[in-house]
């Protein structure tokens, strides 16, 4: 098995179309088909079911697809390590980001890392939570951030920060008559929320809060980013629910942040790492995470 076999497999798995995959790889379709047959002979299983109308992954192909991208990630990390050493760095810290880490904190954290350990090369990876957990287990990442703590055995989810959950309201919306909006009033209007397949932890925390309130939301749209959420709110499409820094730091001028009435719900951000991760670099990184001052509208966990 060679890397070309894996590149061809990945292209076909992504496109589910041999002609498009061949075009993507800048090769002819015949050598692509031969390469896939060689790979299937090597693994001893059929990876694709191909008909005149469609191409789809077999069960073995789906299992194989779970591992192949991580091979290329590890290879790229090896290249990055060599380049970092050539540029004078003496170590590397691989940081996975899921659920949209609080934007006001990330620059502060990275600047502090660079100030205290300029010889350590920092590498950031924006990935879904499930991919982060797999990557931590497979030693593709050293540490990560997410807004969910049910991460399974072998991974520690340590509470780092809490942000007030606030309502993003379009300018001139009738709900702006409230300084603190009752949740039942919010839920009389359509909401734009984060897509759980992209921001799983954030979506689970918000959905859990709504379920505990016993109220059914009217969800107009699920989006992949907070920027898109704020754009839809600014356009008057719906209200949004997000952490205070994501709303107050929005570049959309037509968005107003309002607190919820009653006890303010909090979104918890966790720092994730392997249970057996005892390296000094990760320990120092966690210390910096907890040392960062809480921005306005946030507080540090007390649990």
């Amino acid at each position: 098995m060679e890397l070309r076999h894996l590149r061809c497999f990945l292209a076909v798995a992504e496109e589910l179309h041999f002609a498009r995959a061949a075009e993507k790889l800048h090769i002819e379709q015949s050598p692509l088909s031969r390469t896939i047959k060689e790979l299937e002979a090597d693994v001893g299983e059929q990876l694709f079911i191909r008909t005149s109308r469609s191409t789809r992954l077999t069960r073995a192909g789906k299992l194989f697809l779970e591992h192949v991208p991580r091979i290329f990630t590890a290879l790229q990390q090896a290249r990055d390590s060599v380049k970092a050493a050539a540029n004078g760095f003496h170590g590397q810290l691989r940081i996975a980001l899921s659920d949209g880490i609080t934007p006001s904190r990330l620059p502060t954290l990275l600047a502090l890392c660079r100030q205290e350990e300029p010889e350590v090369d920092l590498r950031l990876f924006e990935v879904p939570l499930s991919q982060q957990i797999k990557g931590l287990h497979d030693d593709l990442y050293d540490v990560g951030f997410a807004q969910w703590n049910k991460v399974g055995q072998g991974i520690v989810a340590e509470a780092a920060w809490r942000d007030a959950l606030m309502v993003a309201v379009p300018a001139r919306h009738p709900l702006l008559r409230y300084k603190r909006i009752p949740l039942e009033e919010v839920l009389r209007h359509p909401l734009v929320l984060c897509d759980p397949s992209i921001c799983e932890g954030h979506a689970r925390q918000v959905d859990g809060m709504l379920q505990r309130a016993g109220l059914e939301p009217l969800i107009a749209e699920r989006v992949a980013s907070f920027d898109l959420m704020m754009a839809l709110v600014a356009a008057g499409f719906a209200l949004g629910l997000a952490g205070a820094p994501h709303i107050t730091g929005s570049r959309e001028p037509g968005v107003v942040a309002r607190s919820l009435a009653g006890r303010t719900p909090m979104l918890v951000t966790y720092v994730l790492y392997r249970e057996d991760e005892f390296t000094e670099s990760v320990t120092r990184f966690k210390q910096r995470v907890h040392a960062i001052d809480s921005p306005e509208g946030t507080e540090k966990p007390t649990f």
Side-chain angles (χ1 to χ4, degrees):
M1 188 184 302
E2 302 174 10
L3 285 177
R4 65 182 178 89
H5 292 102
L6 301 182
R7 289 193 183 96
C8 289
F9 168 79
L10 200 55
V12 178
E14 289 172 348
E15 298 294 334
L16 291 179
H17 193 283
F18 273 75
R20 288 199 300 266
E23 183 178 349
K24 183 177 183 179
L25 294 166
H26 306 291
I27 62 174
E28 296 294 327
Q29 191 170 334
S30 294
L32 174 60
S33 297
R34 286 197 300 271
T35 302
I36 294 299
K37 288 180 180 178
E38 290 172 2
L39 179 60
E40 290 176 328
D42 189 42
V43 299
E45 293 288 342
Q46 185 178 0
L47 301 174
F48 296 99
I49 297 175
R50 186 180 181 185
T51 69
S52 58
R53 294 186 177 182
S54 67
T55 298
R56 65 182 189 273
L57 286 160
T58 63
R59 183 174 179 276
K62 291 177 181 178
L63 292 172
F64 197 58
L65 182 59
E66 292 181 9
H67 298 278
V68 172
R70 300 207 294 272
I71 295 171
F72 286 103
T73 299
L75 180 60
Q76 185 59 50
Q77 289 183 358
R79 289 174 177 151
D80 291 342
S81 296
V82 172
K83 290 179 181 178
N87 290 329
F89 292 105
H90 300 297
Q92 189 178 74
L93 192 65
R94 302 161 299 173
I95 307 166
L97 306 174
S98 304
D99 300 324
I101 183 174
T102 304
S104 55
R105 290 194 179 96
L106 184 58
T108 304
L109 176 60
L110 297 180
L112 186 59
C113 291
R114 181 67 68 224
Q115 176 185 338
E116 296 185 355
E117 286 188 301
E119 72 282 0
V120 175
D121 183 33
L122 301 176
R123 293 286 169 176
L124 305 179
F125 304 87
E126 286 190 279
V127 296
L129 177 57
S130 58
Q131 187 175 331
Q132 178 180 159
I133 293 170
K134 286 182 181 179
L136 288 167
H137 279 296
D138 294 344
D139 195 28
L140 295 180
Y141 315 123
D142 302 301
V143 66
F145 289 98
Q147 290 191 330
W148 194 243
N149 63 346
K150 305 296 191 297
V151 292
Q153 294 184 342
I155 302 295
V156 176
E158 185 176 304
W161 309 308
R162 293 200 296 174
D163 299 310
L165 180 67
M166 298 185 74
V167 189
V169 186
R172 298 182 296 279
H173 194 281
L175 284 183
L176 291 178
R177 69 181 184 272
Y178 294 98
K179 289 188 176 180
R180 296 175 65 89
I181 307 175
L183 181 58
E184 57 268 23
E185 290 295 325
V186 172
L187 298 184
R188 294 180 191 275
H189 300 268
L191 296 178
V192 55
L193 302 176
C194 284
D195 187 338
S197 67
I198 306 297
C199 300
E200 180 181 348
H202 180 277
R204 285 190 176 192
Q205 287 199 51
V206 172
D207 289 348
M209 182 272 294
L210 295 175
Q211 288 172 7
R212 287 191 295 274
L215 300 170
E216 187 69 26
L218 173 61
I219 301 175
E221 192 71 55
R222 291 277 190 176
V223 295
S225 71
F226 292 102
D227 286 343
L228 181 54
M229 178 190 290
M230 295 305 120
L232 293 177
V233 171
F237 188 78
L239 305 176
L241 286 175
H246 283 290
I247 303 176
T248 58
S250 171
R251 293 169 291 184
E252 297 290 345
V255 176
V256 180
R258 278 288 191 269
S259 298
L260 287 163
R263 184 178 180 181
T264 302
M266 289 289 176
L267 293 171
V268 184
T269 297
Y270 299 89
V271 57
L272 275 57
Y273 54 93
R274 286 190 309 279
E275 210 168 43
D276 59 356
E277 180 60 79
F278 302 115
T279 62
E280 291 184 8
S281 61
V282 170
T283 299
R284 288 192 294 268
F285 181 80
K286 291 188 294 177
Q287 290 170 347
R288 294 186 195 106
V289 169
H290 294 293
I292 292 176
D293 291 333
S294 296
E296 185 179 353
T298 65
E299 60 183 74
K300 291 182 182 177
T302 56
F303 50 89

